[in-house]
């Protein structure tokens, strides 16, 4: 753990750099999902500053904090809409199956081994046609560049590693974006400067953003067992009609006929 990390996410997001960082990421979130009117959105982890991308625009937004981000009495100021906020166990979410249309995960996991059960728990409460959006540090130095933010504590992934993890959780990645190519204390002095640095980073060094944003959907074919058949050679294909005709005359099923000793 880096010593320069603020004591809590509440502390960081009440600073100027934290508010600017949230504003920049809200723009990216709104680019992914511009219109969520009439839909239910769950923010898991510490998502209050980011749900503002849709709050007040016809979407029902619920912020579900994990115990590590329990509200701090020292920082009692809450963003608009914090009345729809609760503290949950991320591995046993207190919601019915197929409840939410969209799920946002940010500051939700610090260990790689915890990621798959956490994603499966989130996938349980997501509708079959729902979508999940994750904000994670890039494995290529993302945590180091954001050492003064809560992202330094989050688990970091590469593109291939995250795709493998999502596959184990029966999810399929669809769209991807990146943000904060510079450290937050440099890029988040203003929203305008943050936008310019991200645009320049995507042109000059694509794939090296500090944060990766990945949208995933349920992989409906991941749990469907497929029959496995050994490939048949041309010789076996020629013998099949003769064997089937012989078994029809004898009345023995083809499976048993294949196991019978040849004379």
């Amino acid at each position: 753990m880096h010593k320069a990390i603020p004591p809590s996410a509440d502390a960081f997001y009440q600073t100027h750099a934290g508010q600017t960082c949230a504003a920049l990421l809200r723009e990216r979130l709104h680019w992914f999902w511009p219109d969520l009117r009439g839909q239910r959105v769950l923010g898991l982890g510490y998502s209050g500053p980011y749900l503002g991308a849709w709050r007040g625009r016809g979407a029902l937004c619920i912020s579900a904090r994990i115990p590590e981000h329990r509200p701090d009495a020292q920082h009692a100021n809450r963003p608009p809409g914090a009345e729809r906020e609760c503290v949950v166990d991320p591995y046993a979410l207190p919601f019915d199956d197929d409840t939410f249309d969209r799920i946002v995960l940010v500051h939700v996991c610090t260990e790689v081994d915890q990621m798959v059960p956490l994603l499966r728990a989130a996938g349980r409460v997501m509708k079959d046609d729902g979508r999940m959006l994750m904000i994670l540090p890039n494995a290529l130095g993302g945590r180091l560049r954001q050492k003064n933010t809560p992202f330094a504590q989050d688990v970091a992934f590469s593109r291939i590693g995250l795709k493998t993890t999502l596959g184990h959780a029966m999810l399929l990645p669809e769209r991807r974006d990146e943000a904060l190519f510079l450290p937050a204390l440099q890029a988040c002095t203003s929203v305008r400067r943050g936008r310019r640095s991200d645009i320049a980073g995507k042109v000059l060094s694509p794939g090296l953003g500090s944060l990766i944003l990945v949208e995933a959907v349920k992989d409906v074919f991941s749990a469907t067992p497929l029959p496995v058949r050994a490939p048949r050679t041309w010789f076996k294909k020629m013998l099949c009609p003769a064997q089937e005709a012989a078994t029809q005359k004898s009345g023995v099923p083809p499976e048993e006929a294949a196991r019978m000793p040849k004379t």
Side-chain angles (χ1 to χ4, degrees):
M1 181 183 297
H2 299 280
K3 295 182 180 179
I5 297 176
S8 67
D10 281 328
F12 172 72
Y13 285 106
Q14 290 185 23
T15 64
H16 175 73
Q19 294 174 359
T20 305
C21 174
L24 290 171
L25 291 176
R26 280 197 302 267
E27 292 182 354
R28 306 317 304 156
L29 295 177
H30 194 261
W31 175 81
F32 275 97
W33 303 334
D35 186 7
L36 297 183
R37 285 176 293 181
Q39 299 190 28
R40 296 179 179 180
V41 183
L42 173 66
L44 185 59
Y46 188 91
S47 59
Y50 301 101
L51 294 180
W54 311 286
R55 188 180 288 120
R57 301 183 180 182
L60 174 61
C61 299
I62 298 177
S63 175
R65 293 193 182 200
I66 60 175
E68 289 79 357
H69 298 302
R70 191 180 300 274
D72 190 355
Q74 183 179 358
H75 304 90
N77 295 329
R78 294 287 177 264
E83 66 276 1
R84 297 196 183 103
E85 188 175 77
C86 57
V87 178
V88 300
D89 180 356
Y91 307 102
L93 296 175
F95 306 108
D96 296 333
D97 296 356
D98 305 328
T99 300
F100 296 97
D101 303 278
R102 298 289 189 271
I103 297 180
V104 179
L105 283 79
V106 56
H107 304 315
V108 70
C109 187
T110 58
E111 300 293 337
V112 177
D113 298 339
Q114 301 173 355
M115 199 65 183
V116 172
L118 189 146
L119 289 173
R120 289 191 176 182
R124 177 186 64 82
V125 301
M126 185 175 68
K127 295 182 178 179
D128 291 339
D129 59 346
R131 293 180 176 273
M132 186 182 302
L133 186 58
M134 291 157 285
I135 305 177
L136 299 167
N138 193 342
L140 298 175
R143 296 174 61 170
L144 180 61
R145 278 175 280 169
Q146 304 303 324
K147 62 181 180 179
N148 296 315
T149 74
F151 290 107
Q153 297 175 312
D154 297 342
V155 60
F157 279 99
S158 63
R159 180 181 298 188
I160 297 177
L162 182 57
K163 183 178 180 181
T164 302
T165 301
L166 288 172
H168 292 161
M170 295 181 289
L171 296 170
L172 186 67
E174 281 205 340
R175 291 188 294 175
R176 183 180 182 276
D177 196 7
E178 51 188 333
L180 294 188
F181 285 78
L182 297 177
L185 296 183
Q186 299 178 15
C188 296
T189 55
S190 67
V191 175
R192 185 176 183 181
R193 182 174 182 179
R195 290 172 185 161
R196 290 181 174 179
S197 62
D198 282 355
I199 293 174
K202 292 178 182 179
V203 174
L204 301 176
S205 55
L208 295 181
S210 299
L211 305 179
I212 56 176
L213 294 82
V214 178
E215 181 189 42
V217 297
K218 286 186 177 181
D219 189 357
V220 295
F221 299 106
S222 61
T224 304
L226 299 177
V228 179
R229 295 183 180 180
R232 296 189 302 176
T233 62
W234 63 271
F235 183 72
K236 289 184 178 181
K237 291 180 180 180
M238 292 178 61
L239 291 180
C240 282
Q243 291 179 355
E244 291 177 358
T247 53
Q248 288 178 359
K249 291 182 179 180
S250 61
V252 180
E255 296 78 4
E256 295 184 5
R259 294 194 296 266
M260 292 177 61
K262 296 183 180 179
T263 57

